[in-house]
Amino acid sequence: MLGILARTMAKDLWYKVKPCGRLVRPVAPTRIPGRYLSHQEGLPKLPVPSLQQTCERYLAILEPIVDEEELSHTKELLAEFQKAGGVGERLQKGLERRARKTENWLSDWWLTTAYLDYRMPVVVHSSPGVVLPRLEFSDRQGQMRFAAKLIAGVLDFKTMIDNETLPVEYLGGKQLCMNQYYQVLSSCRIPGLKRDSVVNHAHRSRPPTHITVVHNFQFFVLDVYNSDGTPLTVDQLYMQLEKVWSSSLQTNKEPIGILTSNQRNSWGKAYNNLIKDKTNKDSVQAIQKSIFTVCLDAPMPCVSDELYRSRAAVQMLHGGGSRWNSGNRWFDKTLQFIIGEDGSCGLMYEHAPAEGPPIVSLIDHVVEYTKKSEMVRTPMVPLPMPQKLRFNITPEIKKDIEKAKQNMNIMVHDLDVKVIVFSHFGKNVPKTHKMSPDAFIQMGLQLAYYRMYQRCCATYESASLRMFKLGRTDTIRSCSIDSANFVKAMDDPSKQKIEKVTLLEKAVKAHRAYTDMAIHGQAIDRHLLGLKLQAIEDLTSMPEIFMDTSYAVANHYNLSTSQVPAKTDCVMCFGPVAPDGYGVCYNPMAEHINFAVSAFNSCNETNAAHMAQRLEEALLDMRMLLESTPKAKL
């Protein structure tokens, strides 16, 4: 089960919510200037919920997704698990001991289980992509100019991180852990034969001063600071990027970067072979150490305006295949900004070091920065030529590259992504009816899925645990007995509208209550995972509750979802976490909602476009229900 679970875990993005009373609505955290990490020591530790509470809540989330016979069997197993002096109590005490001894009982386990032990390719299966609004340039000068501004914007953000002047974030009056901001720059994932690692060069005595730029599958080291430590100006960066372009006019026949898209064990083996050569090792280390990577992409095939965002999404997720831009990447790099000659723009990030908050903050900062006019005078200092990274390709490495190309093309053909701008309404409509926009959208997803399949499914939504030191995420279980009651009643002609509205309101409130519980460290999923990992660490036999069919069903997420609110009109996207599932990411703006829906073509039962259409219909029907019901007009 850990395979499916880890695959799901690798999708955790960001959930922002500000508690105000018992039921809360999602808003962006407040930012207050201050010394960046000075507050870290004062943050509370992640709690270990009570065993009884988790077992009760586990049964509640199973009710709408497993049959009565299976539920009855699970109740028996849980009763046995909770017996005084039994295995559950023993594991609980072990977990509580771990919580006392560590800064965060979950964070190291989480990093390893969700990411570093995960052996599927990071492409599609783990790393999210972000599509930014389309840019107007349509030639290389425009592409270079925007890339130069973007680089300057990221360096401006980096200055705030380095000087600890990034504002500390608050949620409902409580400080949030800011540790992840320190993990996204100058870091990289390193493949291993059985387990990967993450290296961060930002805290070295001599932190990196270069980025990597990749164009036509060729990598360049570009120093982005002058000898006096000041960052290069936009004009200087533009001139350096022009040099990179001119030095890589022909596409490299051997796209070395595509190796990073492979299954992790295969890449680990190829990596060890690749770095036996000193030139190769030096080049790989230069990429790994760089502050971030900029991918200057060739234009993708033209599509209609309606299909543009969907095509841009797959470009951010995988580059379009070996014929297009998939070789123009180093997928292990934490941050890769992607700028296409055709105006498509965005980024992808390797998920292990951080969730969405630093990424979203960075995007918002950089987009605003690129809109400013440049007032800095460029020093008339000749700049060194960006250094092209060399690779010696042996027949064995060439074979590895060919295999990675084939595997990448299979992934590209299998992934179906549909990006829609739901233009009928945004956060404004649910707010008018005093409903949480996030909970309203989640109920729309439940209704859409039920209408397609006539059943409810295990649904994953990310909840931030950043109220706690080194907090990552837990799961909001969007499918509840209340959501099931609502979706079953919605199309039932025997039900009155007023009853349907009442059931919708109850479902929305239940979702808000679970969200509030999750962000306060009281959800069930990480606790159950902790008990399971504690059993593995204690070398005891695996408790039956984790071998149970119900546990497999609960962790098979046909809907893996995340709200990623940004000021920028962008949308994040990621692949499904189950072969027969959907990945759904959304950015709710004031008067519209950006959705990205993904599915696998290899599954006959799923279809991203159909799900997106059903989702639109569900949200419109829910609005109509609220607006045409007398109760809603009072």
Side-chain angles (χ1 to χ4, degrees):
M1 242 352 276
L2 269 181
I4 293 172
L5 186 61
R7 191 168 178 176
T8 301
M9 293 164 179
K11 292 293 182 294
D12 287 320
L13 301 171
W14 189 25
Y15 190 83
K16 297 194 279 191
V17 60
K18 182 178 180 181
C20 48
R22 293 188 64 184
L23 297 174
V24 294
R25 69 179 197 278
V27 293
T30 315
R31 292 205 173 91
I32 298 176
R35 292 297 286 176
Y36 188 49
L37 287 179
S38 60
H39 73 298
Q40 284 288 105
E41 288 307 311
L43 290 170
K45 283 187 171 189
L46 180 68
V48 178
S50 84
L51 188 61
Q52 184 185 348
Q53 174 184 289
T54 291
C55 290
E56 285 171 2
R57 288 173 176 174
Y58 178 44
L59 283 173
I61 68 102
L62 289 175
E63 201 173 332
I65 58 174
V66 301
D67 61 39
E68 283 184 32
E69 191 182 339
E70 190 55 53
L71 191 63
S72 176
H73 177 63
T74 304
K75 281 179 184 173
E76 289 172 19
L77 294 182
L78 282 170
E80 182 66 29
F81 185 68
Q82 288 181 86
K83 276 184 180 172
V87 64
E89 192 177 288
R90 194 169 72 246
L91 295 176
Q92 177 76 3
K93 282 180 178 169
L95 214 50
E96 288 166 355
R97 266 196 308 277
R98 180 182 170 89
R100 286 193 293 273
K101 288 178 185 173
T102 56
E103 285 191 305
N104 184 307
W105 64 264
L106 177 63
S107 56
D108 286 347
W109 269 350
W110 181 248
L111 178 65
T112 304
T113 310
Y115 302 110
L116 305 182
D117 279 349
Y118 181 61
R119 305 326 283 156
M120 291 291 279
V122 293
V123 184
V124 173
H125 300 286
S126 174
S127 297
V130 180
V131 181
L132 291 173
R134 190 174 191 170
L135 296 161
E136 290 305 311
F137 58 78
S138 55
D139 59 16
R140 75 182 182 95
Q141 278 76 22
Q143 182 188 21
M144 299 295 113
R145 193 83 202 155
F146 181 78
K149 278 194 151 187
L150 181 142
I151 294 164
V154 181
L155 295 178
D156 189 58
F157 192 83
K158 181 179 181 291
T159 301
M160 290 194 286
I161 291 174
D162 293 345
N163 296 344
E164 295 190 7
T165 54
L166 253 188
V168 168
E169 292 176 350
Y170 282 70
L171 196 58
K174 293 187 178 177
Q175 294 180 336
L176 297 183
C177 177
M178 302 297 284
N179 174 65
Q180 289 176 39
Y181 282 87
Y182 272 81
Q183 310 308 323
V184 293
L185 295 174
S186 310
S187 61
C188 195
R189 184 160 169 161
I190 313 288
L193 293 177
K194 290 183 180 176
R195 173 183 287 177
D196 292 356
S197 56
V198 172
V199 63
N200 189 320
H201 296 275
H203 314 304
R204 302 285 161 95
S205 54
R206 293 180 64 190
T209 56
H210 72 279
I211 64 169
T212 32
V213 179
V214 53
H215 176 244
N216 278 339
F217 308 163
Q218 291 153 75
F219 289 83
F220 293 80
V221 164
L222 171 51
D223 277 307
V224 289
Y225 291 94
N226 292 299
S227 54
D228 63 357
T230 57
L232 298 192
T233 65
V234 171
D235 284 340
Q236 286 176 311
L237 289 165
Y238 175 80
M239 289 187 286
Q240 294 298 80
L241 290 172
E242 279 283 1
K243 291 176 190 173
V244 166
W245 181 285
S246 304
S247 307
S248 52
L249 295 174
Q250 296 301 311
T251 304
N252 194 342
K253 288 189 178 70
E254 303 299 347
I256 196 81
I258 209 161
L259 289 172
T260 63
S261 70
N262 228 341
Q263 196 265 0
R264 301 308 295 177
N265 289 353
S266 303
W267 168 217
K269 193 177 171 188
Y271 177 83
N272 287 347
N273 186 37
L274 179 70
I275 62 171
K276 282 177 188 169
D277 178 279
K278 188 182 184 306
T279 301
N280 294 348
K281 187 175 185 178
D282 290 346
S283 293
V284 167
Q285 285 184 340
I287 297 168
Q288 291 168 344
K289 287 178 180 176
S290 63
I291 303 165
F292 55 92
T293 295
V294 171
C295 309
L296 300 174
D297 274 12
M300 294 285 281
C302 282
V303 290
S304 66
D305 287 348
E306 187 195 350
L307 294 175
Y308 167 74
R309 282 172 179 251
S310 301
R311 205 227 47 213
V314 296
Q315 188 185 350
M316 301 312 145
L317 281 171
H318 55 55
S322 63
R323 281 186 60 224
W324 300 101
N325 292 302
S326 296
N328 219 44
R329 305 278 185 275
W330 194 267
F331 288 107
D332 288 357
K333 196 70 192 140
T334 308
L335 272 183
Q336 293 190 96
F337 294 93
I338 299 158
I339 302 144
E341 197 179 320
D342 54 8
S344 56
C345 181
L347 64 104
M348 81 175 304
Y349 78 98
E350 198 289 302
H351 215 321
E355 264 74 54
I359 311 301
V360 169
S361 293
L362 181 62
I363 288 168
D364 286 340
H365 182 87
V366 170
V367 168
E368 281 307 305
Y369 190 93
T370 59
K371 292 174 184 172
K372 293 180 190 171
S373 56
E374 276 298 304
M375 301 300 289
V376 183
R377 287 179 66 86
T378 297
M380 299 301 289
V381 191
L383 293 168
M385 185 74 188
Q387 175 200 345
K388 184 173 179 176
L389 297 177
R390 305 286 174 186
F391 289 94
N392 294 321
I393 308 294
T394 63
E396 195 177 350
I397 292 167
K398 186 173 167 57
K399 204 166 132 187
D400 290 334
I401 288 171
E402 289 308 311
K403 187 68 182 162
K405 280 185 189 176
Q406 289 170 19
N407 292 340
M408 169 58 90
N409 292 340
I410 291 166
M411 277 195 287
V412 165
H413 289 124
D414 194 21
L415 186 69
D416 180 23
V417 180
K418 181 71 176 172
V419 175
I420 58 165
V421 179
F422 179 80
S423 56
H424 307 281
F425 60 84
K427 292 185 282 192
N428 52 349
V429 164
K431 284 181 174 179
T432 302
H433 295 281
K434 296 184 168 54
M435 289 183 175
S436 146
D438 181 65
F440 187 86
I441 293 166
Q442 285 288 332
M443 291 312 106
L445 276 163
Q446 292 299 311
L447 180 56
Y449 190 90
Y450 187 79
R451 283 173 167 177
M452 282 183 83
Y453 300 102
Q454 301 304 303
R455 64 182 179 87
C456 298
C457 70
T459 306
Y460 184 103
E461 184 189 0
S462 300
S464 173
L465 289 176
R466 287 177 61 218
M467 279 187 186
F468 306 101
K469 194 171 189 180
L470 303 183
R472 295 286 299 246
T473 61
D474 208 325
T475 308
I476 300 165
R477 291 275 181 170
S478 301
C479 180
S480 64
I481 199 66
D482 293 301
S483 73
N485 291 339
F486 160 64
V487 299
K488 287 170 186 173
M490 184 64 180
D491 296 327
D492 184 345
S494 70
K495 304 283 187 192
Q496 297 293 314
K497 280 186 178 179
I498 192 83
E499 185 182 351
K500 293 176 186 180
V501 169
T502 302
L503 289 171
L504 172 56
E505 287 174 341
K506 198 173 178 189
V508 164
K509 282 179 182 173
H511 186 273
R512 297 306 310 132
Y514 202 108
T515 299
D516 201 30
M517 186 177 86
I519 63 172
H520 287 93
Q522 298 298 317
I524 64 165
D525 281 84
R526 302 303 180 261
H527 186 202
L528 288 172
L529 175 67
L531 293 167
K532 184 176 182 177
L533 294 176
Q534 189 67 48
I536 293 168
E537 197 162 278
D538 292 350
L539 300 175
T540 55
S541 59
M542 186 55 67
E544 282 189 60
I545 62 162
F546 300 118
M547 317 289 279
D548 182 29
T549 305
S550 290
Y551 191 68
V553 172
N555 288 291
H556 186 90
Y557 295 105
N558 291 98
L559 281 175
S560 177
T561 74
S562 190
Q563 175 187 232
V564 184
K567 293 175 194 156
T568 307
D569 195 10
C570 62
V571 63
M572 193 174 270
C573 45
F574 50 76
V577 301
D580 56 348
Y582 294 95
V584 184
C585 200
Y586 51 97
N587 179 12
M589 309 295 279
E591 296 186 8
H592 69 276
I593 308 165
N594 296 331
F595 284 103
V597 181
S598 66
F600 291 121
N601 289 317
S602 51
C603 177
N604 293 328
E605 295 167 23
T606 55
N607 184 301
H610 290 175
M611 172 53 82
Q613 188 180 342
R614 288 298 178 95
L615 179 56
E616 284 210 54
E617 291 164 2
L619 292 170
L620 287 169
D621 289 349
M622 286 160 64
R623 179 179 71 172
M624 191 183 296
L625 173 69
L626 289 171
E627 290 180 352
S628 64
T629 305
K631 182 181 175 183
K633 293 176 181 174
L634 293 176

